[in-house]
Amino acid sequence: MGIEGIGASVARKEDKRFITGSGRYTDDIRLHGMTYAQFVRSPYAHAKVKAIDSSEAMKMPGVVAVLTGKELVDDKIGNLICGWMVHSKDGSPMKMGAFPAMAPELVRFVGQAVAVVIADSKNLARDAAEKVDVTYEELPVVADIRAAIASGAPQLHPEAPGNIVYDWSLGDEAATDAALAKAANVVSIELTNNRLVPNAMEPRSAIASYDSAEEHFTLYTTSQNPHVARLVLSAFYNIAPENKLRVIAPDVGGGFGSKIFIYPEEMVALWASKKVNRPVKWTADRTEAFLTDAHGRDHLSKAEMAFDKDNKIIALKVKTHANFGAYMSLFSSSVPTYLYATLLSGQYDIPNIYCEVIGVYTNTTPVDAYRGAGRPEASFLLERLMETAARKLKVNPAELRRKNFITSFPHQTPVIMAYDAGDFHASLEAAMKAIDYAGFAARKDKAKKEGKLRGIGLSCYIEACGIAPSKAVGSLGAGVGLWESAEVRVNPVGTIEILTGSHSHGQGHETTFAQVVADRLGIPISQVSIIHGDTDKVQFGMGTYGSRSAAVGISAIVKALEKVEAKAKKIVSHHLEASENDIVIEDGNFKVAGTDKQMAFANVALAAYTAHNLPPGMEPGLKEGAFYDPTNFTFPAGAYICEVEVDAGTGKTSFVNFVAADDFGRLINPMIVEGQVHGGLAQGIGQAILEGTVYDKSGQLVTASFMDYSMPRADDLPSFKLSHTTTLCPGNPLGVKGCGEAGAIGASAAVINAITDAIGTEKIEMPATPDRVWAAIHANA
Amino acid sequence: MNEAVNIRVTVNGEVRSHSVAPRETLADFLRNALELTGTHTGCEMGACGACLVLLDGQIVHSCLIFAVQADGAVVETIEGLAQRKAIAELQEAFHQRNALQCGFCTPGVLMTAYGVLARPGVPSRNEIRDALSGNYCRCTGYEAIVDAIETAARRRAEAAAEPEPETAP
């Protein structure tokens, strides 16, 4: 592997700027003549906008403009789109209401923008926004799923009767019902998957500028996928044609899904920059982030699992209501359907699965993909069900899982996915060994003597990553292909620039992608630069989400590197008068096998650019591009085990141990992978015990600040013990699977399974805060 | 109340005279007037720790302090600590241990870590976690940050315990 190649825990190339305070995030950028935008947002969850009076604001010196939703409509700026068409089970297309960037007539969630103030300074814009007088007429509110589907509930959108976006299903209901009817045992469960606020530490920000002479826009923005942003802004929102719009995502301070989507603020900043003919900057404050960043999860589910007399699973039936909030965000429709129900087979051989998903509008912030997106919901449901079943059937939870594991591959599940590789016994074994599962009973007894309730919980997750084969997602309703592109640009002296459509916002691509090149060509990673996040530099790309950058983004780089190598070998064979087939690459040199003849890579590059002596007909230069479209999803999987101790007197949960055994296929940089798992686990544990998003009945977000919404802090979390088992992904050149979401997908079930084991009741909702745990203990007693 | 106030503040060793609005936070002053953008604002209510700076040697939330309150004071930001190599061993430990991902919280985390290292002895992991509990990091799960601070503290303690190198007469 070499000291910097694939498999080496190389320290990151990008660190220096971050540890010296010289990172360059969007809000750090200032343009000449820049103005500042402050949005006027609805304080009501559902109301008619009767009038907007901006006269007082416009009188303030330094206020440049106050723009409203009506002017946006007049200028033919498009409504926000949902890019994935999902059909209900009756064949009808999903029913969507219009999502305007600023509401001209009706607001449907607290925080929805109705106007924007553009002013010379941020504080002036804030003051002026308070002077914009908006007259609202309040309407009745539905603040959660149950209220939305109740008969006679207030309606959000006339297009969606009963507040239902779709009633979708996957699988064979008749066969599943038949299996349930003949089951020896049926175990059922009802659960909530709590709504989460992503809260990347960097708030969203956008700076738009317009060059009137060139009729050209530039947008700096906090995006995980700048090319997709440009595509959507051009093709659907009528901002500018693609060749007249450059989108740059500089350093981005975390995304976790929330920075995939193209938001109203970016659209308005662009539009406003042309209207006022000056650059416009907008940066969210934290409460704006809480109110307007797309939220995650928010499911209510019922599920039944059928077992035969030998405890083999024969069927799974699931009914889920998913809360979409007030509008359909960019990829929202796919999250509780194709990213959720398709994973309900988990690691198990389940012959019959049927899942019905009802998507619901409510007067809350839109909900879309958040770390894991659908897969954490599937994993939580299935693993809570497995643990509950083991307890009800009085079998060991590990044994019940082992009995039902899929053991041969490829394996076609009844819910679309074809698993290509895995070894679920190996990861469970590794995790059980790491936590000394066998010794748990003795530890529990000892804790009991000390007056503590100890519990252990397993979670065996699987996810589908490497998103995604374009043809497959196209057939399922996606509006885009999910390939990735790469360009390998070798410079005349042999240094290399890699241009990638993947986007790094913490993942360390500048290091891992360079390691792949170093591994292949034997040159140091210091000679390889990774360029991303700028539509003027990189040809195109789909961005980073769904743990896709290694499996799809790097695969595109490998494809382009193969082309570079092939051309380089032709040049070497011409210079050294040897057969191309005899050329091998060793330590940065192209050698003729079995001889002492060689050319350093830098000399090959120089020869390509001087073009003094190239093979007949060969073009000068050494630069190749490639597009890679995956043939299948990848399937990272693993086993997590959590051991907790609960204080019955206070309900407080303390972590005794948390172990994770993951199979991500080949690891490019194990240290970076470890960091991804740590962060994912923190978010999964946060969901389980801390993070609760609370709306009151009037649709006010009660938890709209860091004082009210509890995310994991350093003293809330345990130290994690990680290990890996490996089956290579057969579907891509390096055998990689992806690691970015696993922790968030697998952790929450392990924690709740441990807490329920400790307290002896299954009835606890996430987040299992001390008051809830205390109440559950005492309800049981 | 809105009239600008003249302040003189020593920032990263340099005396800076500026006219600031009374409402201007120290964080905004540093970021906008002085273009020291290493100090980040993640919540503007003192809950996330991304904006931590040193004010007369004390670690403070620059989002909770008005720039006028810093009049006559000595302020040091991440850029200043980095330039005078006051956190070199922490930076090295963070880099080697991958104790940062997106980097947004990192300047504030390094400020906290600087405070931890200023105390004598090697802190326990729980003490490090306790000290870090005022810094939100959404990326790392804190594990690598705790490791890095522990490593830096141990190295500093080891270096302090080593006998003074003999000096030439």
Side-chain angles (χ1 to χ4, degrees):
Chain A
M1 73 184 186
I3 53 164
E4 292 185 334
I6 292 170
S9 285
V10 180
R12 299 197 318 170
K13 293 176 69 175
E14 46 269 80
D15 286 350
K16 190 171 180 188
R17 63 181 187 269
F18 299 127
I19 56 180
T20 54
S22 38
R24 188 166 175 263
Y25 302 88
T26 300
D27 189 62
D28 299 342
I29 296 166
R30 263 204 296 181
L31 303 181
H32 182 69
M34 195 161 80
T35 63
Y36 297 79
Q38 178 75 30
F39 285 86
V40 179
R41 299 186 181 280
S42 170
Y44 301 110
H46 199 188
K48 282 183 185 161
V49 180
K50 303 290 280 184
I52 300 174
D53 180 358
S54 57
S55 55
E56 286 301 309
M58 282 305 295
K59 282 181 202 158
M60 295 169 72
V63 171
V64 179
V66 179
L67 304 169
T68 66
K70 188 181 169 303
E71 291 161 280
L72 201 70
V73 173
D74 291 347
D75 281 356
K76 299 189 170 45
I77 299 299
N79 290 319
L80 279 83
I81 60 157
C82 179
W84 196 307
M85 172 51 72
V86 170
H87 288 82
S88 287
K89 58 188 179 187
D90 67 6
S92 62
M94 60 185 184
K95 299 179 173 68
M96 286 199 301
F99 183 0
M102 292 194 292
E105 290 166 353
L106 204 61
V107 287
R108 295 183 177 85
F109 68 97
V110 171
Q112 185 171 8
V114 296
V116 65
V117 174
I118 312 291
D120 284 342
S121 79
K122 187 172 163 182
N123 285 334
L124 187 56
R126 280 181 175 173
D127 290 350
E130 287 186 8
K131 297 283 186 199
V132 176
D133 185 14
V134 185
T135 309
Y136 296 96
E137 180 188 322
E138 282 187 76
L139 295 169
V141 169
V142 291
D144 62 27
I145 291 170
R146 287 188 182 93
I149 59 173
S151 68
Q155 303 288 295
L156 268 74
H157 297 275
E159 296 87 350
N163 298 318
I164 305 291
V165 177
Y166 54 60
D167 181 351
W168 173 89
S169 72
L170 184 64
D172 185 337
E173 185 175 23
T176 304
D177 283 342
L180 275 158
K182 68 172 190 192
N185 287 293
V186 174
V187 177
S188 56
I189 196 167
E190 278 190 51
L191 46 81
T192 303
N193 203 289
N194 45 326
R195 180 186 280 236
L196 302 174
V197 183
N199 275 319
M201 289 316 298
E202 178 206 24
R204 285 191 297 116
S205 180
I207 304 172
S209 69
Y210 180 67
D211 179 334
S212 58
E214 298 292 331
E215 297 178 332
H216 183 279
F217 290 89
T218 301
L219 175 69
Y220 293 89
T221 185
T222 48
S223 174
Q224 299 177 219
N225 46 346
H227 287 86
V228 176
R230 187 182 65 161
L231 170 66
V232 171
L233 288 162
S234 291
F236 298 99
Y237 302 159
N238 204 24
I239 299 290
E242 280 169 299
N243 62 320
K244 294 289 185 183
L245 172 58
R246 177 184 186 184
V247 179
I248 302 168
D251 284 332
V252 174
F256 316 113
S258 70
K259 292 173 181 167
I260 297 172
F261 323 115
I262 292 80
Y263 287 92
E265 293 83 3
E266 295 153 23
M267 296 166 64
V268 171
L270 281 162
W271 168 69
S273 72
K274 183 176 176 183
K275 291 220 72 91
V276 305
N277 203 20
R278 284 170 66 183
V280 175
K281 176 192 252 189
W282 168 79
T283 300
D285 64 29
R286 184 53 61 182
T287 287
E288 275 185 297
F290 271 98
L291 292 173
T292 65
D293 289 5
H295 292 177
R297 321 282 191 258
D298 205 344
H299 287 191
L300 289 180
S301 296
K302 290 181 181 178
E304 296 171 285
M305 188 177 264
F307 293 87
D308 71 10
K309 61 180 175 29
D310 297 323
N311 295 330
K312 284 278 291 174
I313 307 167
I314 54 172
L316 171 66
K317 190 172 186 181
V318 178
K319 183 172 184 177
T320 292
H321 283 85
N323 189 347
F324 284 129
Y327 298 97
M328 294 300 286
S329 175
L330 189 62
F331 290 117
S332 56
S333 55
S334 66
V335 175
T337 50
Y338 295 110
L339 294 174
Y340 167 68
T342 53
L343 274 303
L344 284 171
S345 195
Q347 299 188 352
Y348 313 110
D349 184 4
I350 306 179
N352 302 290
I353 299 176
Y354 176 75
C355 179
E356 182 182 11
V357 179
I358 298 149
V360 175
Y361 274 131
T362 60
N363 292 113
T364 61
T365 298
V367 178
D368 207 322
Y370 164 62
R371 201 170 195 168
R375 292 152 289 168
E377 295 91 313
S379 185
F380 182 70
L381 179 135
L382 199 56
E383 290 307 289
R384 282 291 295 128
L385 199 44
M386 288 302 280
E387 202 84 0
T388 304
R391 290 168 193 166
K392 294 217 165 127
L393 301 173
K394 300 200 184 322
V395 294
N396 181 296
E399 212 34 63
L400 185 65
R401 287 177 169 85
R402 284 198 194 103
K403 185 182 277 287
N404 288 286
F405 275 158
I406 293 160
T407 52
S408 71
F409 298 89
H411 173 90
Q412 177 64 53
T413 71
V415 280
I416 300 179
M417 292 299 173
Y419 299 165
D420 54 4
D423 186 346
F424 307 141
H425 281 283
S427 46
L428 180 57
E429 209 56 49
M432 289 171 71
K433 199 175 160 197
I435 205 162
D436 182 21
Y437 196 82
F440 174 73
R443 297 197 294 277
K444 187 176 176 100
D445 284 347
K446 185 169 177 289
K448 195 175 176 184
K449 285 182 192 125
E450 292 159 5
K452 292 286 171 76
L453 303 171
R454 196 170 276 222
I456 197 162
L458 273 65
S459 171
C460 296
Y461 76 90
I462 191 164
E463 50 167 331
C465 295
I467 291 171
S470 299
K471 192 174 169 187
V473 294
S475 74
L476 300 177
V480 289
L482 291 171
W483 43 264
E484 195 47 84
S485 85
E487 195 173 299
V488 175
R489 210 159 67 184
V490 182
N491 297 314
V493 289
T495 57
I496 293 180
E497 280 122 24
I498 301 285
L499 292 86
T500 171
S502 298
H503 185 276
S504 187
H505 31 282
Q507 292 88 343
H509 294 172
E510 290 170 41
T511 306
T512 50
F513 288 16
Q515 284 181 256
V516 172
V517 180
D519 195 83
R520 193 116 192 170
L521 297 175
I523 61 174
I525 59 170
S526 60
Q527 291 182 20
V528 183
S529 294
I530 308 300
I531 294 166
H532 68 95
D534 184 340
T535 58
D536 263 15
K537 292 181 181 166
V538 177
Q539 60 287 352
F540 208 91
M542 301 312 296
T544 288
Y545 40 82
S547 306
R548 69 191 302 273
S549 297
V552 190
I554 287 183
S555 295
I557 294 172
V558 169
K559 249 184 106 175
L561 279 171
E562 280 166 2
K563 294 183 190 176
V564 165
E565 272 179 36
K567 185 169 182 182
K569 282 181 178 174
K570 281 193 170 69
I571 295 170
V572 174
S573 95
H574 179 69
H575 275 254
L576 301 182
E577 295 172 342
S579 161
E580 262 173 68
N581 298 328
D582 292 338
I583 313 288
V584 293
I585 306 170
E586 277 174 29
D587 303 328
N589 293 306
F590 282 65
K591 295 183 173 172
V592 182
T595 74
D596 59 357
K597 292 204 281 188
Q598 64 175 45
M599 256 178 104
F601 178 66
N603 290 334
V604 183
L606 193 62
Y609 282 94
T610 57
H612 296 161
N613 182 17
L614 291 177
M618 180 181 273
E619 288 177 17
L622 196 51
K623 184 187 93 164
E624 299 288 349
F627 284 71
Y628 173 80
D629 200 354
T631 52
N632 191 0
F633 294 86
T634 63
F635 298 96
Y640 295 166
I641 309 180
C642 176
E643 188 170 332
V644 299
E645 207 159 77
V646 174
D647 184 325
T650 64
K652 185 173 164 48
T653 299
S654 304
F655 291 96
V656 179
N657 210 341
F658 197 109
V659 301
D662 295 292
D663 179 356
F664 297 137
R666 192 185 310 282
L667 307 183
I668 294 169
N669 183 321
M671 183 164 68
I672 285 177
V673 169
E674 188 185 33
Q676 289 291 313
V677 178
H678 286 163
L681 291 174
Q683 289 179 12
I685 291 171
Q687 172 168 30
I689 63 165
L690 294 167
E691 297 183 38
T693 308
V694 180
Y695 280 95
D696 71 10
K697 282 197 163 52
S698 69
Q700 292 294 333
L701 180 59
V702 177
T703 51
S705 83
F706 283 158
M707 294 298 187
D708 306 293
Y709 183 90
S710 178
M711 300 197 304
R713 292 189 180 275
D715 55 351
D716 292 317
L717 294 175
S719 281
F720 310 112
K721 286 199 191 107
L722 309 191
S723 62
H724 297 281
T725 61
T726 303
T727 59
L728 295 180
C729 173
N732 59 56
L734 297 183
V736 296
K737 296 185 182 180
C739 65
E741 296 161 294
I745 289 168
S748 52
V751 176
I752 299 299
N753 286 340
I755 293 174
T756 50
D757 182 44
I759 65 178
T761 172
E762 303 300 330
K763 286 185 192 131
I764 187 95
E765 296 283 12
M766 296 193 290
T769 50
D771 60 321
R772 283 182 174 174
V773 173
W774 187 90
I777 294 168
H778 290 263
N780 202 35
Chain B
M1 196 53 196
N2 283 324
E3 268 177 44
V5 177
N6 290 320
I7 61 167
R8 242 173 94 86
V9 50
T10 305
V11 180
N12 299 335
E14 231 178 286
V15 178
R16 311 292 294 257
S17 294
H18 269 265
S19 165
V20 298
R23 68 194 284 181
E24 186 92 350
T25 64
L26 179 57
D28 283 347
F29 171 71
L30 292 169
R31 288 180 54 75
N32 299 328
L34 304 188
E35 297 187 356
L36 292 167
T37 53
T39 299
H40 297 150
T41 52
C43 70
E44 294 168 276
M45 63 189 300
C48 80
C51 71
L52 294 177
V53 298
L54 288 167
L55 180 75
D56 287 336
Q58 297 290 313
I59 299 170
V60 299
H61 289 98
S62 61
C63 75
L64 295 184
I65 300 220
F66 292 115
V68 291
Q69 291 174 279
D71 187 24
V74 174
V75 172
E76 200 162 28
T77 68
I78 179 71
E79 291 92 341
L81 287 183
Q83 264 159 26
R84 73 171 171 93
K85 304 202 185 321
I87 50 170
E89 66 238 289
L90 280 165
Q91 289 168 318
E92 180 61 14
F94 272 58
H95 175 57
Q96 292 302 336
R97 182 60 191 95
N98 191 34
L100 61 151
Q101 288 180 30
C102 82
F104 192 82
C105 75
T106 307
V109 170
L110 284 167
M111 278 288 162
T112 295
Y114 174 78
V116 171
L117 257 61
R119 299 173 208 156
V122 179
S124 70
R125 291 179 70 81
N126 279 343
E127 284 167 343
I128 295 170
R129 285 186 181 272
D130 189 44
L132 275 174
S133 67
N135 291 86
Y136 266 136
C137 169
R138 196 60 158 161
C139 293
T140 65
Y142 306 101
E143 182 92 28
I145 297 176
V146 175
D147 289 346
I149 296 175
E150 189 182 31
T151 299
R154 190 164 291 146
R155 285 209 188 115
R156 182 172 282 197
E158 282 164 9
E162 273 172 26
E164 291 285 317
E166 282 179 37
T167 47

